[in-house]
Structures are given as structure tokens and as C-alpha cells.
Amino acid sequence: MLPLADFTIVDFSQFLSGPLASLRLADLGARVIKIEKPISGDICRQMYTSDTILNGTSTVFHAINRNKESIALDLKDESDRAVIRDLVAKADVVMHNFRPGVMERLGFDYASVREINPTVIYGEISGYGKVGPWAKKPGQDLLLQSLTGMTWLSGDAPNGPVPMGLSIVDMFAGMNLASAILACLYRRAVQNIGAHVQISMLDSAVDIQFETVTTYFRDGKHLPQRTEVSNAHAYLAAPYGIYKTADGFLALAMGSIPFLAKLLDCPALADFKDGEQAFQERTAIKAILARHLATQPTLFWLNILEAADIWCADVLNWDRLTQHEGFKVLEMLQRVVMGDGFTYDTTRCPIRIDGERLTARKGSPALGEHTEKIKQELYG
């Protein structure tokens, strides 16, 4: 029995942040009913992140909306709105990620939903919250990364701001919403009261940077300085970074520079004996390491470093990762089946409970696939 079995989530959200939250709740056993606009549905169905199409729809939609049901309802049609009200009345959680003001205009904001269901947990994600000069801006991941200073942490210093290769703000906002909903469900079980949970991508983007932001204020508001070579963390000393080898790349974390000079037989590092130099002269140290490590294959260096208990790793792409036994033993992939019999491989929930992996065979829903089934349950 999964922890959220018998809980029902009515999910208005689209694209990434909200659907990621409801995906996690679904994997924990909740029934997620996804309310979609007739004909077009979730905008993520047609918002392609690559030229790869899965069963006629955007691949990213299928990755993030597996294990859910879809009901097609027009929020502006009165008969469909009546169905939504009846669904909301039976829901444990109602959630959305529309811009501020949209749900108020549609009549399904927290105050309205609470009149229908007084103990509901109502969760919402916005881009920038409801107040402030950015409140009406589009909550898009790259824009949030750019506005919150995140892009100045990645990439080598001469290369300018570099964004993350993932929609990281969307993902953290979704996880924050899922965590808050779980906490409020617990409180409701104890105290029988509902909750209004509000998450913004802006808050989440700043929170991701808790370490660097705290350091910035403690350091007299001096901006973090990336190294010109092998930058990986703006506040960590050399050798921290990724280095080119003769046949690939090597990730090298913490380590004493004098010790590495002897271990790697790199006399040019011997001059950096003062621990402070590892930070103050990071670029110079990393440049020496980069030239030295390029002379031998990755495995050559790994054998030396790992034997000395230095934190290091090969740098794998997905081809090499998925063929590695270290990945296979995780069993992180699962094959799911859509209602029309179409199957695809995707990731499973990363959580284990009582030693058991959480898997779900149900793939993503076709638009409106469960409309009649859900109406039958509501009205007989």
C-alpha cells in the first residue's frame, strides 16, 4: 500500500513545475486527475524540447505526465465548470500553475474552492509571486535563471553567463510544492484543516543558491569569481573542476595541491604550498593541472587518484552511463504502457520505501482519455 493511496489530486497545472509535483504525488500512490483544455490540452503536449516525438506528442509531456488520468473540460463552459466543482468537492488536493489572477477570473481560486471543499489543500506555483514589479512576467525557466544570478555561477569566467542544461528552477519549484502539500496533508490528518500553499519559481531559484547567497552576504557582498579554467564552483578552491584528458574528461573534487603535485608527478604544482593559494591562485593551478592531465588517458589518472582516496570520477555521457553496471543496478528505468497499448521507457520514481522501489506501469494519458470514466464515477 503506497502512502498516498486513496488521496485524489485535481491538477490544473501545465508544462513542467506543477506536473512534476503531481507526478511525485502520483508515484507515492495518489490518484492524479489532470484537467485539460479540450482539443489542445496541456500546452506541454505540443511544446517540443527536441525533434523527438513520442506517440504523436511531445516527449517531455509523456515523461512528466505518466501515471495520471486526463479529463477534457472547458473552464469557460458552465456545464463543464459544474463537473469541475463536483471534482473539487471530492478532492484532497487542488493545484495549478497559472499566472496570478487567472484562477480568480475563472472562479477556481483558493477562496472559491474552499467554499466547495473547506479542508482542501490548495497548491499553486507562480513565476514571481503575486506582488512586485515582476509579478506579471512569464515564469519561464531560462528567464528565472537569468534574473536570479544563477547563470553567473556556471562556465569558465571568459565565457560569460552560462545557464544550466536542465529546467532546474521548474524542477525545484515542483519539488517544493510536493513537499509542502505532503506536510499540509499530514496536518489535515491531525487537525482536520485545509491549507493554501503558494510557491514561486523566483523564491525557489533563490533558495537553490542558499550556499552561495549566504556566502555573498557574509563576504561583504563581493560577487563570486569563476575561474578562467575548469570552473565548477565559484566558491571552492582548486583543483575543483572538470579537466580534459588524452581520451576524455576527468572530474576532480577536493585535494591538497602539494599532495597532488607528488601524486601526479607534476613538479609545476610544487610551488603552491600555501593552502590559501588553492583559492587565491585557482586559475593558475587549474591551468597547470589542465595541461598535465591532458597527457594521459582518464583511466590512467583514475587508477592513481582513487588508490590515494582522492575524490574523482570519469565524466560519462548517457551512452556510457546507461551501459555501466553502476547505473544498471539502480534499475532507474521502467517501461510504461499508455491506454492505446503504446509503450515507452522512462525514469521511475527515485524514492524507495521499506526497501522497495516505487514503479508504476501506467503511461501518460491521451487528451481526455478518462473523461467518460470520471463522469461515470461522479454521476453514475
Side-chain angles (χ1 to χ4, degrees), residues 141-155 160-164 209 226:
D141 196 278
L142 177 62
L143 309 186
L144 267 298
Q145 287 192 46
S146 301
L147 283 170
T148 56
M150 290 180 65
T151 57
W152 288 105
L153 298 175
S154 298
V162 177
M164 282 282 294
Q209 302 174 83
R226 294 168 294 152

Side-chain angles (χ1 to χ4, degrees), residues 153-210:
L153 298 175
S154 298
D156 294 342
N159 296 333
V162 177
M164 282 282 294
L166 294 169
S167 298
I168 193 72
V169 181
D170 274 311
M171 295 174 186
F172 268 84
M175 289 295 95
N176 285 338
L177 180 60
S179 297
I181 286 173
L182 290 171
C184 291
L185 283 173
Y186 172 78
R187 187 180 71 171
R188 192 186 70 165
V190 175
Q191 301 181 22
N192 195 35
I193 57 175
H196 184 195
V197 177
Q198 294 171 294
I199 304 292
S200 85
M201 293 174 68
L202 180 61
D203 289 334
S204 299
V206 174
D207 178 61
I208 294 170
Q209 302 174 83
F210 61 90

Side-chain angles (χ1 to χ4, degrees), residues 73-84:
L73 296 169
D74 185 346
L75 275 70
K76 297 180 181 179
D77 179 88
E78 189 50 46
S79 61
D80 281 0
R81 288 167 59 82
V83 176
I84 293 172

Side-chain angles (χ1 to χ4, degrees), residues 42-306:
D42 182 340
I43 58 173
C44 192
R45 287 184 180 272
Q46 306 302 325
M47 191 170 286
Y48 298 99
T49 55
S50 73
D51 58 0
T52 304
I53 298 174
L54 195 158
N55 203 17
T57 307
S58 164
T59 303
V60 67
F61 174 85
H62 295 286
I64 205 166
N65 286 292
R66 60 174 179 77
N67 206 18
K68 303 176 186 178
E69 301 174 36
S70 170
I71 183 170
L73 296 169
D74 185 346
L75 275 70
K76 297 180 181 179
D77 179 88
E78 189 50 46
S79 61
D80 281 0
R81 288 167 59 82
V83 176
I84 293 172
R85 285 192 289 268
D86 291 338
L87 274 175
V88 164
K90 296 177 178 294
D92 298 287
V93 176
V94 174
M95 53 180 289
H96 74 85
N97 61 348
F98 292 122
R99 289 192 193 189
V102 171
M103 289 300 260
E104 284 81 359
R105 290 196 300 272
L106 293 170
F108 291 105
D109 57 299
Y110 174 59
S112 301
V113 168
R114 188 181 180 186
E115 289 183 4
I116 302 169
N117 186 340
T119 61
V120 71
I121 308 301
Y122 188 97
E124 57 182 290
I125 297 177
S126 65
Y128 304 86
K130 293 191 174 184
V131 297
W134 293 340
K136 294 184 179 180
K137 283 182 174 289
Q140 198 277 331
D141 196 278
L142 177 62
L143 309 186
L144 267 298
Q145 287 192 46
S146 301
L147 283 170
T148 56
M150 290 180 65
T151 57
W152 288 105
L153 298 175
S154 298
D156 294 342
N159 296 333
V162 177
M164 282 282 294
L166 294 169
S167 298
I168 193 72
V169 181
D170 274 311
M171 295 174 186
F172 268 84
M175 289 295 95
N176 285 338
L177 180 60
S179 297
I181 286 173
L182 290 171
C184 291
L185 283 173
Y186 172 78
R187 187 180 71 171
R188 192 186 70 165
V190 175
Q191 301 181 22
N192 195 35
I193 57 175
H196 184 195
V197 177
Q198 294 171 294
I199 304 292
S200 85
M201 293 174 68
L202 180 61
D203 289 334
S204 299
V206 174
D207 178 61
I208 294 170
Q209 302 174 83
F210 61 90
E211 175 190 8
T212 50
V213 169
T214 304
T215 304
Y216 163 73
F217 281 105
R218 180 63 180 173
D219 196 30
K221 295 188 178 180
H222 290 132
L223 291 172
Q225 300 298 311
R226 294 168 294 152
T227 55
E228 297 180 12
V229 179
S230 299
N231 177 73
H233 193 297
Y235 284 116
L236 288 182
Y240 202 88
I242 292 178
Y243 298 86
K244 183 87 171 65
T245 65
D247 65 347
F249 293 88
L250 172 73
L252 189 55
M254 291 78 166
S256 162
I257 301 305
F259 180 70
L260 287 174
K262 295 178 182 178
L263 183 67
L264 301 175
D265 191 20
C266 182
L269 288 179
D271 293 336
F272 300 95
K273 297 177 181 178
D274 184 348
E276 287 295 315
Q277 289 177 290
F279 187 85
Q280 294 171 355
E281 300 181 56
R282 291 179 302 165
T283 292
I285 293 169
K286 289 184 175 185
I288 292 169
L289 268 172
R291 290 192 294 270
H292 189 70
L293 293 173
T295 63
Q296 295 289 348
T298 302
L299 186 59
F300 176 86
W301 298 120
L302 286 173
N303 288 336
I304 295 172
L305 293 162
E306 289 179 339

